[in-house]
Amino acid sequence: MTQRILSLSLACGLALLAGASAAQGFKASNDNARAGMRAPAAAPAASAVPAGPRSADFIVAVVNSEPVTNVEVQQQVERLRAQAEASNMPAEALRRQALEMLIGQKIQLQMAAERNLQVDNFAVQQAEESVARQNSMTMTELRARLVREGIPETQFRADLKKQLVIQKLREAEVDSKVRVSDLDIDQYLREQKAKAGMANSVTQLNLGHILVTVPENASEDQVKQLQAKAQQAADKIRAGEDFNAAVAEFSDVPDGKGGGAMGMRPADRYPELFVKATQSTAVGSIAGPVRSPAGFHILKVLEKSSGEVPAIVTQSHARHILLRPSAQLSEAQAVERLEDYRRRVMAQQDTFDDLAKRYSEDGSAKEGGDLGWASPRKFVPEFEEALNALQPGEISQPIASRFGIHLIQLLERREAKLNQREQRDMVRSIVRENKLEQAFSTWAQEARARAYVEYRDPPL
């Protein structure tokens, strides 16, 4: 469970579809996507496609006998147009980029089909919930937003499924081949030190978050009341109240989560609003309330780094039960079993320790599923995201990862000073992610070069 992999190009990456994410105050980035699929042939994230008259449909390209249609390209153009970096591109360049992205996606999906790589409904559902969670929405709010953006839920889920399938292909074809040497680590540390010296700016952040939601079409009086609520929360924290206690009392983040560590990540993978608000805030202090279209945010700076590896991090002590779907145990059955285990622990009919020893299929089973103390970036993103959402003592719902289906219990958290070896282990994870991105880009380009692609002229 300790091998770190590249995150799915979902969650913040989709961020409720590029345009909607900006409206929520969330930057379109990649957090299930630690690095994201930026290669030209990478699968595009789902994005809002405005309702309106459809262009005439015809085949614009053939990819290994599979057509790419004009309507598909136009939809992808609208997705790209919603992204700030593509908004000023000339129309023809934008259309060409959209076409190449679709060609790359079709090539990769064809390769996945040849290898019989599949994604179950539970993984798609989990990805959908992750998109909602990363945008501080409930599933009901997410679906309502999809309706307003003119995106059928079936299309949204289909796009998520494609991304998950491509991620599986990536794991099979690229991830296992990437190695990180001590020389790679040394070079990264030198580069980060040089960057920090050239530009005195924060490159990585770990934030805690309280959100006081402002409903759409709220009256002026409602906004004032909610602002006062957010200010009350900030005042209590500044007066010494525990931040997590304030989360439980004030935050509207779905399921009451969001007060724990959001995870050490590059600053550009946080909303720009959050980065600006905390730019001059010391570690351990709070910023806010700050306003976004979603509501009022209060942010606690848990960690801050200017390029070098943080000396102090928030560590988690967790345990888990792992079930691996197989011919004898379907994914749905694994989820059902883990839900039953969770119910039994909550009802004090069994202990987590005993259940892990009896049923877990992980090497940690003999220790009752105990994973020990873990620094950020130790676990795969899906696992770590679920772990970060827990408060001490809480048990997650079943979570899918590349290893199987997990039930996770957070035992405790602590602030820990890293020794040199632990710091280098964190750097190893970062360097691996960077190399994975580069390796995938190269692999995607090679797959594109081997494929048969025929471009078609539009009909007269």
Side-chain angles (χ1 to χ4, degrees), residues 135-204:
N135 287 277
S136 300
M137 292 181 177
T138 63
M139 286 300 298
T140 300
E141 291 169 335
L142 171 65
R143 289 176 181 132
R145 177 59 64 88
L146 292 175
V147 170
R148 289 196 298 274
E149 296 292 340
I151 305 166
E153 187 177 354
T154 52
Q155 176 195 324
F156 180 70
R157 288 177 63 86
D159 284 337
L160 289 178
K161 189 169 186 175
K162 289 176 183 177
Q163 290 282 55
L164 290 164
V165 169
I166 289 173
Q167 179 65 23
K168 274 197 169 185
L169 178 68
R170 177 178 187 153
E171 291 165 2
E173 294 291 326
V174 180
D175 290 16
S176 62
K177 300 171 185 174
V178 171
R179 299 288 182 269
V180 178
S181 68
D182 287 339
L183 288 175
D184 293 328
I185 295 174
D186 292 338
Q187 182 179 348
Y188 176 85
L189 289 171
R190 286 194 298 269
E191 289 172 352
Q192 293 305 304
K193 190 171 183 179
K195 287 179 183 177
M198 287 188 300
N200 187 24
S201 60
V202 174
T203 59
Q204 296 204 28

Side-chain angles (χ1 to χ4, degrees), residues 234-251:
D235 291 343
K236 279 193 169 186
I237 297 165
R238 290 187 173 107
E241 180 167 323
D242 178 71
F243 188 83
N244 288 335
V247 171
E249 182 178 357
F250 293 100
S251 187

Side-chain angles (χ1 to χ4, degrees), residues 63 82 96 98-99 143 159 173 181 235 242 270 278 302 331 346 382 411 423 443:
V63 182
R96 183 69 183 181
L99 174 58
R143 289 176 181 132
D159 284 337
E173 294 291 326
S181 68
D235 291 343
D242 178 71
Y270 275 106
T278 58
L302 303 173
E331 188 177 68
M346 301 288 284
E382 303 91 322
L411 299 173
Q423 288 181 319
W443 174 85

Side-chain angles (χ1 to χ4, degrees), residues 336-350 355 395 407:
E336 187 177 347
R337 285 190 191 180
L338 290 173
E339 287 174 341
D340 181 57
Y341 298 163
R342 185 179 189 274
R343 179 193 60 77
R344 284 154 62 179
V345 174
M346 301 288 284
Q348 298 185 339
Q349 296 172 345
D350 255 313
L355 290 170
I395 301 173
L407 195 66

Side-chain angles (χ1 to χ4, degrees), residues 317-390:
H317 182 196
R319 57 187 175 189
H320 78 139
I321 300 171
L322 172 67
L323 297 182
R324 302 180 190 273
S326 64
Q328 292 74 39
L329 181 70
S330 71
E331 188 177 68
Q333 288 172 326
V335 170
E336 187 177 347
R337 285 190 191 180
L338 290 173
E339 287 174 341
D340 181 57
Y341 298 163
R342 185 179 189 274
R343 179 193 60 77
R344 284 154 62 179
V345 174
M346 301 288 284
Q348 298 185 339
Q349 296 172 345
D350 255 313
T351 67
F352 198 103
D353 181 85
D354 286 343
L355 290 170
K357 287 177 179 176
R358 281 149 54 193
Y359 301 115
S360 182
E361 299 176 64
D362 184 57
S364 63
K366 58 182 180 295
E367 285 87 29
D370 197 326
L371 296 168
W373 284 102
S375 297
R377 297 178 179 269
K378 182 175 182 181
F379 302 121
V380 295
E382 303 91 322
F383 190 99
E384 190 160 300
E385 181 187 354
L387 180 61
N388 287 342
L390 297 174

